[in-house]
Amino acid sequence: MKMSRWISMAAVFAVGLFTSAGAMAQQPHPWQMNFQKAATPVMEEIIWFHNWLLVIEVAIVILVLALMLYIVIKFNAKANPVPSKTTHNAPLEVIWTVVPIIILVVIAVPSMKLLFTMDKAQNPEMTLKIIGNQWFWSYEYPDHGNFTFDANLTQKEDLPDDKKSLYLLEVDNHVVLPADTSIRLLFTANDVLHNWAIPSFGVKMDTVPGRINEAWIEVPSEHMGTYYGQCSELCGVNHGYMPIAVDIVSKADFAAWVEKAKEEFARVDEPAVDVARVGARPATAGR
Amino acid sequence: MSDAAAAHDHGHDDHHGAPAGWRRWVYSTNHKDIGTLYLVAAMVSVLIGGVFSFMIRLELQSPGLQYIEDLQFYNVLVTAHGFVMVFFFVMPALIGGFGNWFIPLMIGAPDMAFPRMNNISFWLLVVGLLLLMTSALVAGGAGTGWTVYPPLSNATFHSGAAVDFAILSLHVAGASSILGAINFITTIMNMRAPGMTYHRMPLFIWAMLVTALLLLLALPVLAGALTMLLTDRNFGTTFFEASGGGDPIFWQHLFWFFGHPEVYIMIVPAFGVISHVVSTFSRKPVFGYLGMAYAMAAIGFIGFIVWAHHMFTVGFNVETRAYFVLATMVIAVPTGVKIFSWLATMWGGSIEFRTPMLYAMGFIFLFVVGGVTGITLANAGVDIAFHDTYFVIAHFHYVLSIAAAFGILSGFFYWFPKMCGKMYNEGLGKIQFWLMFIGVNILFFPQHFSGMAGMPRRIPDYPEAYAGWNFVSSIGAYISFAASLLFFYIVIQTLRSGEKAPANPWGEGATTLEWQVPSPAPFHTHDQTPDMRPQPAE
């Protein structure tokens, strides 16, 4: 049938368009039309499911467009001077109610599978704690000596000439995490809502004062490298100026970095303020 | 615009003994005059909101900070653009404007049920708009986004009076809408002409009834939430403060319990308009009338049980997200019924492609485009990649800035001859449509790409990689802006020198009651209640 050929052509086009992502897209690149490269199994699933959705959606749009073009050609006042009087067609109405329901079921099944896959980490090997602040990120490594550091935006003038395109993505202190490791991410915030997002990881989680959210990642060693993201919840004046940079390194390199980091960065100690003495009040500054 | 408004209805009603001069407008209890006031207010607002978006696109045209040094000001622009367009453009145009004008005309009633309440509804809206403008001008303005999420909106992070003014503005605009909704519901339920049963009401009346019920149920929730935020800010309560045992996420539940029905409040009236326009210009009755009516009712109902799909990243457990995914996707079914019924209405018709019809067809196609990206976003798994990116901006501007605005423009060109008694220039109208159609697509389609690539929303500057599509977007914005100016030119030109419109300029397809009264509709209509009993079912 003519229509089904159109749909399958569109589907091929759509899949081609959105799966031919470049191999280097750890950061966005000019005129990009699709996702950044997946670094985690979860993001691969997201991209797969999105492409499946896109095929269905492009087919729907093309069906409607084709029907409208047909209507414009066949049923304009010149071509069809006497309008029909049809106002009902029960079988047709049943079909366009039932077929969308079937399409939704076809969408819902993989959607639920993806959703439940993305849920909490199974047996995470380490934890990274992520804290949103106006307007920088703080990170804590509770399983590696509980050191902490802040990551601030690198100003444009401080970037080398060949790295200017990283402005608004680059920070002074990268988060370093090991490959091939199941990592639990814990999120909270000190002041307002922020959102920690790395497109390639398929992670985007609000950091909410007074709450701890959880997500997980596991990056296979073939995807070692640097990944960038940006704060994804309006958090005030400098919302656009608190990016995220993560280095995924081998386990050995990670161990070496931890040793260095323990020296370089402060330890998170027990409450710096004696709550019993000062009286309970909202945390304001620091961590 | 007040000149245009004065010219608009001037002269044709003197012999009816209408009050003259400013009293006619300020003290008005006449549904047509109040409808006109709403439309004028919407036009003023769309200019204000349009200038805000123009400034946003100007700043985002290329990377770096071009024009806006004060980043709080950028956030204020984003916030005010949202508020103005939602509460003071789309709602007043579709609900206050078309609703007031055409509910009584279409159901054969002499006026609205509560004419004085109608007057206060309108003037509260003006007060709301003034409060909103005040909010933007004091204490650095409210840079919270239209969602006003605490803690950013609380007294610690927005310490000035700006957010308080914004809250008061929404309170007053909300009260205006609730009063309007009560008026609409009462009018539609009690003042229909004999024989016009619920199942014979024109679909625009169905749309307004569903919308009014949504307003009546959703806005009090917003009012409650706003009041809590106000007391958090000023009287030391901690509803949304974690440090006092409250929860910022609680606000998001309340806000979106209102906010999701709100998006249907903006689009359902447009559904009603489109049904009339499609039927009129196809010279066919609406296909599947009952399905169309109950699809709107179903969309309205489901709209109340899907709110948390705006909150997929707040940290819900997975079962909660699964429920909201499934509930949200169900909305696609009644929406599909509407789309296919419109196509079936056109099918077999004898279609004239006048400006209102072009806008209606543009609405149908682009609403489908915005609708399918809605399916994408409904799936919480994929939404992780899209939440708070430009993909979301593209999606909701396809259904609001494009679809709802096309609904308004379609209705405006359709009913303008009835309202002012003059015909617009058809050629200019068509040029205006194509300019707008091309402009908005160039503006919003590339934002899908920026969003997929990961560009977050509400940022004044972006990494260089996003420059290309942002530039294209800005070009589209300038084209759309030019199209808007052309629209205003058409309005003024029609009022000044348009040809006299007949009672029914659209021919045999226009079957509803408003086309049986003269153009412009006299100050008082349906003095004698029309008898609809012998009419066959619509």
Side-chain angles (χ1 to χ4, degrees), chain A residues 18 28 32 36 49-50 57 68 70 75 77 80-81 83-84 87 104 111 134 193 204 206 211 213 230 232 236 239, chain B residues 75 247 252 284 288 313-314 329 347-351 361 372 376 379 382 384-385 387-388 453 456 458 465-466 469:
Chain A
F18 287 94
Q32 184 170 336
Q36 295 182 35
F49 178 56
H50 174 265
E57 291 171 1
M68 288 182 81
Y70 186 82
F75 301 117
N80 189 36
S84 86
T87 57
L104 288 181
S111 174
Q134 279 185 328
L193 303 175
K204 183 176 283 160
D206 285 356
R211 283 189 176 220
N213 283 335
Q230 291 172 274
S232 296
H239 166 50
Chain B
N75 290 346
D247 185 357
Q252 298 188 21
K284 271 184 73 197
T313 63
V314 300
M329 288 206 297
W347 197 273
S350 179
I351 305 173
M361 295 184 76
V372 295
T376 302
N379 289 284
V382 173
I384 293 301
H387 180 90
D388 226 74
R458 293 167 166 170
Y466 300 125
W469 292 121

Side-chain angles (χ1 to χ4, degrees), chain A residues 137-165:
Chain A
W137 296 99
S138 302
Y139 299 96
E140 290 175 11
Y141 286 71
D143 300 333
H144 300 88
N146 220 9
F147 61 85
T148 180
F149 61 88
D150 296 339
N152 281 288
L153 174 81
T154 307
Q155 294 301 328
K156 196 166 193 173
E157 54 270 24
D158 298 333
L159 287 165
D161 280 343
D162 59 332
K163 295 274 167 87
K164 292 287 188 208
S165 68

Side-chain angles (χ1 to χ4, degrees), chain B residues 354-529:
Chain B
R354 309 289 287 269
T355 309
M357 186 60 175
L358 291 179
Y359 268 114
M361 295 184 76
F363 173 98
I364 294 168
F365 178 59
L366 296 175
F367 190 71
V368 170
V369 175
V372 295
T373 56
I375 296 276
T376 302
L377 294 171
N379 289 284
V382 173
D383 184 61
I384 293 301
F386 289 127
H387 180 90
D388 226 74
T389 67
Y390 262 76
F391 192 92
V392 176
I393 305 269
H395 160 70
F396 74 72
H397 281 92
Y398 260 82
V399 288
L400 286 180
S401 173
I402 298 184
F406 275 29
I408 291 169
L409 287 162
S410 179
F412 190 85
F413 282 109
Y414 181 58
W415 282 318
F416 197 33
K418 180 56 62 187
M419 294 188 284
C420 76
K422 292 177 176 174
M423 289 304 290
Y424 61 89
N425 181 318
E426 191 67 54
L428 271 183
K430 286 181 180 174
I431 292 172
Q432 201 272 337
F433 165 77
W434 285 110
L435 200 60
M436 187 63 103
F437 184 87
I438 292 165
V440 290
N441 279 293
I442 295 176
L443 168 52
F444 293 116
F445 205 80
Q447 296 184 355
H448 292 114
F449 306 140
S450 309
M452 278 192 94
M455 180 174 167
R457 53 191 288 208
R458 293 167 166 170
I459 53 174
D461 191 7
Y462 48 81
E464 252 175 52
Y466 300 125
W469 292 121
N470 271 290
F471 181 76
V472 175
S473 239
S474 289
I475 298 298
Y478 308 146
I479 298 174
S480 314
F481 199 74
S484 309
L485 295 181
L486 180 57
F487 170 77
F488 284 103
Y489 174 76
I490 292 173
V491 170
I492 292 164
Q493 190 213 35
T494 307
L495 291 174
R496 298 182 88 173
S497 58
E499 281 175 38
K500 174 127 185 51
N504 177 2
W506 309 126
E508 60 182 288
T511 54
T512 37
L513 281 175
E514 80 269 29
W515 304 109
Q516 294 176 16
V517 303
S519 295
F523 198 66
H524 295 295
T525 39
H526 299 317
D527 294 335
Q528 303 273 311
T529 308

Side-chain angles (χ1 to χ4, degrees), chain B residues 107-125:
Chain B
I107 65 174
D111 205 309
M112 299 296 283
F114 307 118
R116 285 167 189 272
M117 195 161 92
N118 210 3
N119 176 290
I120 195 70
S121 294
F122 172 74
W123 288 108
L124 282 178
L125 186 84

